[in-house]
Amino acid sequence: MRAFIFPGQGSQAIGMGAALAEASRPAKDVFAEVDEALGQNLFRLMREGPDDKLKLTENAQPAIMAHSIAVLRTLGVDLAGVANFVAGHSLGEYSALCAAGAFDLATTAKLLKLRGQAMQQAVPVGEGAMAALLGADLVLAQKIADAAERGEVCTVANDNDPSQVVISGHKAAIDRAIEMAKDMGAKRAIALPVSAPFHCPLMQPAADAMQDALSYVVVETPAVPLFANVTAQPTTDPDTIRTQLVEQVTGMVRWRESVANMFNAGVHEFVEVGGKVLGPMVKRIAPDAKVTSVVTIEDIEAMAKEIA
């Protein structure tokens, strides 16, 4: 069994998609359709930068999704014929749903633009922060977060793999967690270069905005089940998907559990579409799994031969 997985924020880079668009008409069409849907020249920003503008959440989210879908359409496969499940890390969940036909491309781009803006606006710049705890599992990360809280928000945002957990919340609480992490048993704690504290209760205004936006959107039944971030379980029900996308804004990304549950369900091949971020995490969660990252035209050609 095979799962197609889609990367989240942080996988953006200047030049992303440029060579692909030159080599592939379907990819070029994806970037043009996203530009038209958003009313901005996002693809030029992806190709040329500047980096600080591409990193802005409202640009990075639709850019990463567009790149993943461009790779997938260049691959030119019927997803249901080659994959048993899809999953995505945070915003990658939208890419996965677009790939599986739950949302069309233009709708996905608009939702992610709005999601990025809403997440950025939910907390004033400088009030929130995130940190990666390395050499810490979920139990230890939760202990550190609880100890650092002191009446402020400090909670686990991403359970990425057995050795990397991300916490999120008020900046002062995250600073305290970074200070005490090593003494409590973590190898290292690193402040993340993010502009807002994602996946924590401080994001409630963004969750409200997404609930409103998603209430107007048609969600089709995906061609293959989605392993959802907030439950680490598969679903194909449109109403459930809509609800879980709202919960995902403030909820923990249960990536480690999602991969482990897919592996236990019989998935022994994971294909990361449009990035090389999730593959190493998958290998730490399920060392026996086969992991392939598909980014370049050469990667796509190799994958096309394999699944033909």
Side-chain angles (χ1 to χ4, degrees):
M1 292 172 80
R2 184 187 290 124
F4 275 38
I5 57 175
F6 297 82
Q9 205 156 330
S11 55
Q12 73 278 353
I14 300 297
M16 64 193 292
L20 191 61
E22 280 179 30
S24 159
R25 183 62 201 234
K28 196 174 180 181
D29 289 347
V30 166
F31 297 130
E33 190 178 336
V34 169
D35 278 359
E36 190 179 344
L38 298 181
Q40 76 173 109
N41 200 330
L42 182 65
F43 187 45
R44 186 169 71 196
L45 180 61
M46 291 163 67
R47 286 196 319 267
E48 302 168 13
D51 188 50
D52 59 340
K53 202 170 174 193
L54 179 61
K55 271 184 187 161
L56 286 175
T57 304
E58 66 175 85
N59 293 325
Q61 295 201 20
I64 292 162
M65 180 279 298
H67 185 234
S68 288
I69 299 302
V71 169
L72 187 69
R73 294 213 179 151
T74 301
L75 185 58
V77 292
D78 168 31
L79 192 73
V82 296
N84 303 90
F85 299 104
V86 290
H89 192 284
S90 192
L91 84 89
E93 194 153 86
Y94 285 80
S95 308
L97 287 164
C98 181
F103 296 130
D104 62 45
L105 180 60
T107 299
T108 313
K110 288 174 185 171
L111 284 170
L112 283 174
K113 182 80 176 175
L114 173 70
R115 183 178 182 267
Q117 289 170 335
M119 290 172 101
Q120 189 60 67
Q121 291 161 9
V123 181
V125 173
E127 282 190 19
M130 298 180 77
L133 303 179
L134 307 181
D137 61 10
L138 180 59
V139 173
L140 177 57
Q142 192 63 61
K143 274 186 191 164
I144 294 168
D146 289 346
E149 206 172 42
R150 296 183 199 167
E152 293 185 305
V153 171
C154 186
T155 189
V156 174
N158 306 345
D159 179 16
N160 283 336
D161 67 41
S163 64
Q164 188 201 100
V165 179
V166 174
I167 57 172
S168 181
H170 285 108
K171 186 176 186 307
I174 297 299
D175 288 345
R176 284 193 293 271
I178 290 170
E179 265 180 50
M180 61 178 65
K182 211 166 180 181
D183 288 342
M184 289 185 71
K187 230 181 244 173
R188 284 176 73 198
I190 304 167
L192 295 179
V194 294
S195 52
F198 306 131
H199 299 292
C200 81
L202 295 176
M203 285 286 115
Q204 190 56 50
D208 295 341
M210 292 314 296
Q211 182 164 20
D212 184 53
L214 286 159
S215 70
Y216 295 103
V217 168
V218 174
V219 184
E220 302 287 355
T221 302
V224 296
L226 169 85
F227 261 82
N229 283 183
V230 293
T231 61
Q233 296 296 330
T235 186
T236 55
D237 177 63
D239 288 335
T240 302
I241 288 167
R242 189 183 274 111
T243 301
Q244 289 174 344
L245 286 173
V246 174
E247 291 171 352
Q248 185 228 56
V249 179
T250 56
M252 178 171 68
V253 176
R254 295 167 66 176
W255 187 251
R256 176 186 57 81
E257 289 174 84
S258 295
V259 171
N261 289 348
M262 282 187 270
F263 187 77
N264 290 336
V267 173
H268 291 127
E269 184 180 356
F270 293 82
V271 179
E272 182 176 359
V273 183
K276 297 189 174 185
V277 178
L278 300 178
M281 290 183 199
V282 171
K283 287 302 277 185
R284 288 192 286 271
I285 300 161
D288 295 334
K290 179 184 178 187
V291 178
T292 310
S293 291
V294 183
V295 180
T296 65
I297 196 75
E298 292 78 15
D299 296 339
I300 292 166
E301 286 166 355
M303 177 55 64
K305 279 181 195 159
E306 193 178 310
I307 60 182

